[in-house]
Amino acid sequence: MNKNLKCLISAGPTREWVDSVRFISNPSSGKMGYALASEAKKRGYSVVLVSGPVRLDKIEGISTHFVENAKEMELEMTNHFDSANIIIMCAAVSDHRPKNKKSGKIKKNDFAKSIDLVENPDILKGLGKRKKKGQLLVGFAAEAENFAQNAKQKLIQKNLDWIAMNDISNPSHGFGSDHNEIFLYSSTGEEVKLKSAPKNLLAKQIFEEILK
Ligand code: PMT
């Protein structure tokens, strides 16, 4: 088994607060990332899961670190990165956050003009820069058009070994659903289609492919 090998996985959305009652987020349920964590555990890895806010049960035997926003997720992922053998970034990270969180509730008439957005760090790109020989870095790509082209661009720009692309314009797949359909692209030119299936089965197939 892989007892002495560590697998680091991120899952779920990030939440970027605008004021005390509103935030910027996305519909990621965490199901895909938790399925990957569960599969890694079955394969005997020591698993660290960095999770955004989700409504899923904690998986027994997996060290889970809950975070809320992108900066917190970046910190946890970076802290665990150097000692990890396989790193899978499945979380849907908000690309922007409000410059300052306002306390209380912004008045309706002031709302539009009071959100000043700044860019969040690209966590995966940062991990790609830190990657050492022997580490396997896998990203996800949530695409609605130019699927292969956009995914392959992310694969290169973020220095990944593999990218798992899903078509998020299909409501029965991707965000929130129990199923997904994945296209895997590797840095060495491999292309694998994993046909529509429950996320736990896809998690198994993803591990089979990236470890071949
Ligand atoms: O959680 P579920 O409901 O099961 O849905 C699963 C999923 C659709 C969220 C998942 O399969 C998925 O596609 N996750 C990646 C979503 C995403 O943010 O994709 P992206 O193409 O915008 O980003 C590309 C990669 O960069 C991703 O690995 C992402 O984690 C990472 N990223 C993006 C932005 C950012 N600021 N930092 C990052 O690390």
Side-chain angles (χ1 to χ4, degrees):
M1 288 298 254
N2 300 303
K3 229 169 145 199
N4 298 321
L5 297 181
K6 177 170 157 185
C7 185
L8 172 64
I9 297 173
S10 71
T14 61
R15 196 177 268 184
E16 312 290 340
W17 288 93
V18 177
D19 61 14
S20 304
V21 293
R22 304 178 182 101
F23 54 77
I24 298 169
S25 191
N26 61 70
S28 171
S29 62
K31 287 176 190 171
M32 191 69 240
Y34 275 57
L36 287 161
S38 189
E39 177 62 27
K41 185 192 156 193
K42 273 190 208 151
R43 288 172 174 261
Y45 289 94
S46 153
V47 185
V48 174
L49 176 62
V50 177
S51 174
V54 297
R55 289 164 189 241
L56 300 175
D57 291 335
K58 235 177 126 189
I59 308 169
E60 217 179 297
I62 289 185
S63 167
T64 307
H65 301 257
F66 288 101
V67 296
E68 210 171 32
N69 58 43
K71 299 256 280 189
E72 290 167 5
M73 185 169 278
E74 181 186 39
L75 189 66
E76 284 294 340
M77 290 301 288
T78 309
N79 280 347
H80 293 281
F81 183 78
D82 291 344
S83 58
N85 304 89
I86 300 177
I87 305 94
I88 308 179
M89 189 78 200
C90 184
V93 184
S94 175
D95 286 317
H96 295 88
R97 67 176 186 278
K99 193 171 178 184
N100 300 301
K101 178 185 167 186
K102 307 268 186 336
S103 63
K105 185 181 173 196
I106 301 169
K107 290 279 177 216
K108 184 174 153 186
N109 290 341
D110 298 331
F111 193 71
K113 56 177 182 279
S114 56
I115 307 180
D116 199 0
L117 292 177
V118 293
E119 223 173 284
N120 264 331
D122 187 323
I123 303 170
L124 187 54
K125 198 170 182 182
L127 300 179
K129 285 186 184 148
R130 279 174 85 104
K131 187 173 71 167
K132 297 267 176 345
K133 205 165 172 260
Q135 285 183 308
L136 190 68
L137 183 58
V138 183
F140 268 73
E143 304 298 342
E145 56 187 14
N146 299 329
F147 304 99
Q149 192 190 329
N150 288 347
K152 286 177 186 174
Q153 209 170 2
K154 288 173 187 172
L155 175 78
I156 294 166
Q157 279 172 352
K158 302 186 191 216
N159 191 26
L160 309 177
D161 298 291
W162 286 91
I163 194 152
M165 190 280 291
N166 39 199
D167 172 2
I168 44 110
S169 65
N170 180 345
S172 63
H173 291 133
F175 283 107
S177 97
D178 290 333
H179 290 72
N180 210 353
E181 183 181 67
I182 298 271
F183 290 81
L184 282 172
Y185 302 104
S186 82
S187 58
T188 51
E190 287 149 282
E191 300 192 5
V192 185
K193 179 181 175 179
L194 302 177
K195 62 177 200 254
S196 178
K199 286 179 176 170
N200 55 355
L201 179 58
L202 283 169
K204 183 170 180 276
Q205 292 171 338
I206 289 172
F207 269 94
E208 280 165 7
E209 293 298 334
I210 65 173
L211 295 175
K212 254 182 193 166

